Amino acid sequence: MFKINENYLKLPGSYLFSTIGKKIAAYTQEHPEKKIIRLGIGDVTQPLAPAIIDSLHHAVDEMANAETFHGYAPDLGYEFLRNAIAENDYRARGCDISSDEVFISDGAKCDSGNIQEIFSIDNKIAVCDPVYPVYVDTNVMAGRTGVYDANRGVWSDVIYMPCTAENQFVPEIPKEVPDIIYLCFPNNPTGSTLTKEQLQEWVDYANKVGAVIIYDAAYEAYISEENVPHTIYECDGARTCAIELRSFSKNAGFTGVRLGATIIPKEIKCGDVTLHSLWARRHGTKYNGAPYIVQRAGEAVYSEEGKVQLKKQVDYYMKNARVIYEGLKEAGYCVSGGINAPYIWLKTPKEMSSWQFFDYLLEHANVVGTPGSGFGPSGEGYFRLTAFGSYENTVKAIERIKKL
């Protein structure tokens, strides 16, 4: 008789945003007259930029002619997009990344979950706490995380690096030595950042102990401060210890289009084996490539018109972030984030738990956010709001919250 992967049964409850969706659906069914404003999931609301739409239309037209039709994409991505990423995101910043070190995919979420497959099951992972749930959950599915302590909300074989108000929501080097370190900056959910000097310390540490850093740079387009690195490869030595994940979802609005990239320098080795070769083998075996028309849309992100148009979209969302941040501060909330990231992280009032505040906000303000406890034990007592709504709805949401 067939058997299942019992590691899936270890996962507590459902995926965070699935739980939120069920709560909203239940409330809407009971109160169909209420107009809910969603500032929970990090989904964009602005339409695709004109340069991207033009590129999509042109690529679709190409698919209608035998001479320009494209079938399966190259496993690792079309050269035109890989080169555009290497040139604009890396070489333009003085980082030595070649196009054949860029692997195109259908999104950073998939890559962040799949990357663990190329590592041995007995590797020990370290994560920021709070943390994007996918990092931990996919390691649970693989059987790498040990036993779950429901009372504390932690896994026995995971190294947690608390990011709290006391350390400005910035992780500290753990006492126990990890094999794989997950870092996401600008951070989801707290909106915090690392300076280049702080990130260099992590690179030096990883090289010293022989660890690999999986660096999620999904929100780099929102960086506004000078000393905050846009890529980990701005740090000396990163080519020998760091894998970087890139997303088109938040910088270009591709949440419904799906496109991402993973960068793996050839210098990262375990003995004589390069991680680059392992990921290439995995990619070629399990993935048929992002669609041609989507990759052409991705190329348009780096056109002169695309850069100008997308800068305006980023500015739009960061205007929303200022509205949320300043409105909550005015209302007496303790808040952080919203400067280099489209997320605002707030302390729940009146000692409410994260889920209590979720219910309170939904019922009394008809506003949806994300409970901090869903991101890990150190997220308890906190709450995340996103700046990805429309400006009008963002203003309305904050007005509602200020009246509570």
Side-chain angles (χ1 to χ4, degrees), residues 46 306-318:
Q46 293 299 293
K307 290 177 182 177
V308 172
Q309 292 163 7
L310 294 177
K311 177 64 167 59
K312 290 180 180 178
Q313 285 196 357
V314 168
D315 290 345
Y316 178 93
Y317 292 129
M318 292 311 290

Side-chain angles (χ1 to χ4, degrees), residues 18-86:
S18 298
T19 302
I20 290 173
K22 291 174 184 176
K23 278 181 168 283
I24 297 171
Y27 183 84
T28 301
Q29 188 172 4
E30 290 181 18
H31 306 279
E33 77 285 359
K34 299 292 186 181
K35 294 185 178 179
I36 295 173
I37 298 176
R38 302 174 187 239
L39 300 181
I41 192 169
D43 196 1
V44 296
T45 53
Q46 293 299 293
L48 295 175
I52 295 169
I53 292 295
D54 289 343
S55 183
L56 281 169
H57 280 302
H58 181 74
V60 168
D61 289 340
E62 285 186 280
M63 299 294 279
N65 294 288
E67 296 79 9
T68 53
F69 173 81
H70 290 78
Y72 287 124
D75 292 340
L76 310 185
Y78 283 100
E79 184 62 25
F80 61 77
L81 180 56
R82 300 174 81 190
N83 191 63
I85 292 172

